[in-house]
């Protein structure tokens, strides 16, 4: 038996074998599980605020297009980590909602570039700004250096998972 953190700061006895795994990794897994569950719910709420019929997974596409501008569907699919068919379906839905549009790629007439429409950009920015204001309210007690460090560590984690 060994001690294991239960999430509320108290220590409890655990029957789980150590298996050579440091205690930091189970704690990391637990915290990421809670964080991801909340992030999925939050993304669903944000997506519905952009448009009531928007799938939660599409919010990330809008974010990427706002951040990087016009992109090919294949670039978006690679960034998000989905296949071409899934990306095509998501972009078609966004197009039908009037949030994105496609135009021929001047560098390759066979390809298309996807971009936010003016209405899509306005809706996205309104929701994004509200989300950022919520982060500010929730982290008001944090030192700005801690927020920057959290962002740096999450970026490092994301970069490592892309490999």
């Amino acid at each position: 038996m060994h001690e294991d953190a239960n999430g509320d700061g108290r220590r409890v006895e655990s029957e789980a074998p150590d298996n050579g795994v440091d205690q930091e990794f189970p704690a990391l897994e637990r915290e990421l599980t809670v964080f991801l569950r909340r992030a999925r719910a939050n993304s669903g709420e944000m997506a519905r605020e952009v448009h009531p019929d928007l799938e939660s997974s599409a919010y990330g596409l809008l974010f990427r297009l706002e951040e990087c501008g016009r992109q090919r569907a294949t670039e978006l699919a690679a960034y998000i980590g989905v296949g071409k068919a899934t990306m095509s379906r998501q972009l078609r839905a966004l197009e039908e909602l009037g949030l994105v549009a496609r135009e021929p790629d001047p560098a390759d007439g066979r390809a298309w570039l996807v971009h936010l429409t003016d209405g899509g950009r306005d809706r996205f920015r309104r929701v994004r700004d509200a989300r950022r204001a919520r982060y500010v309210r929730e982290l008001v007690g944090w030192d700005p250096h801690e927020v920057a460090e959290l962002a740096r560590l999450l970026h490092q984690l994301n970069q490592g998972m892309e490999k």
Side-chain angles (χ1 to χ4, degrees):
M1 293 200 335
H2 69 280
E3 288 187 329
D4 197 3
N6 65 3
D8 64 2
R10 294 180 295 144
R11 306 294 276 173
V12 295
E13 293 294 319
S14 171
E15 296 290 332
D18 188 3
N19 293 335
V21 176
D22 293 330
Q23 292 305 304
E24 294 82 11
F25 290 98
L28 175 64
E29 179 182 21
R30 178 183 55 252
E31 296 306 325
L32 281 175
T33 298
V34 171
F35 177 78
L36 292 171
R37 183 175 52 240
R38 289 181 179 156
R40 275 191 295 274
N42 193 325
S43 284
E45 291 172 18
M46 296 298 171
R48 285 186 295 280
E49 287 182 35
V50 171
H51 192 284
D53 297 329
L54 187 64
E55 291 182 28
S56 62
S57 60
Y59 185 85
L61 290 173
L62 299 178
F63 190 95
R64 182 68 175 180
L65 288 169
E66 167 66 9
E67 183 178 58
C68 297
R70 291 166 163 66
Q71 296 205 330
R72 288 183 179 189
T74 53
E75 293 171 318
L76 288 168
Y79 177 77
I80 301 291
V82 298
K84 286 189 221 178
T86 299
M87 182 56 55
S88 245
R89 182 185 57 75
Q90 288 183 342
L91 290 174
R92 193 168 33 258
L94 289 170
E95 209 168 9
E96 289 171 4
L97 296 173
L99 301 173
V100 302
R102 300 176 201 224
E103 63 185 42
D105 184 344
D108 180 355
R110 300 167 297 164
W112 293 86
L113 293 175
V114 180
H115 63 91
L116 290 172
T117 62
D118 290 341
R121 181 174 290 103
D122 291 345
R123 285 173 166 233
F124 173 78
R125 285 179 178 171
R126 181 178 44 79
V127 173
R128 182 207 54 207
D129 291 349
R131 180 183 226 183
R132 288 181 180 171
R134 183 170 151 192
Y135 290 153
V136 169
R137 283 191 310 274
E138 291 174 354
L139 300 177
V140 71
W142 286 43
D143 181 288
H145 298 294
E146 292 175 322
V147 175
E149 180 66 1
L150 176 60
R152 186 191 70 75
L153 290 170
L154 287 171
H155 177 75
Q156 183 177 333
L157 177 64
N158 286 327
Q159 291 294 314
M161 291 180 157
E162 282 184 16
K163 296 176 183 175

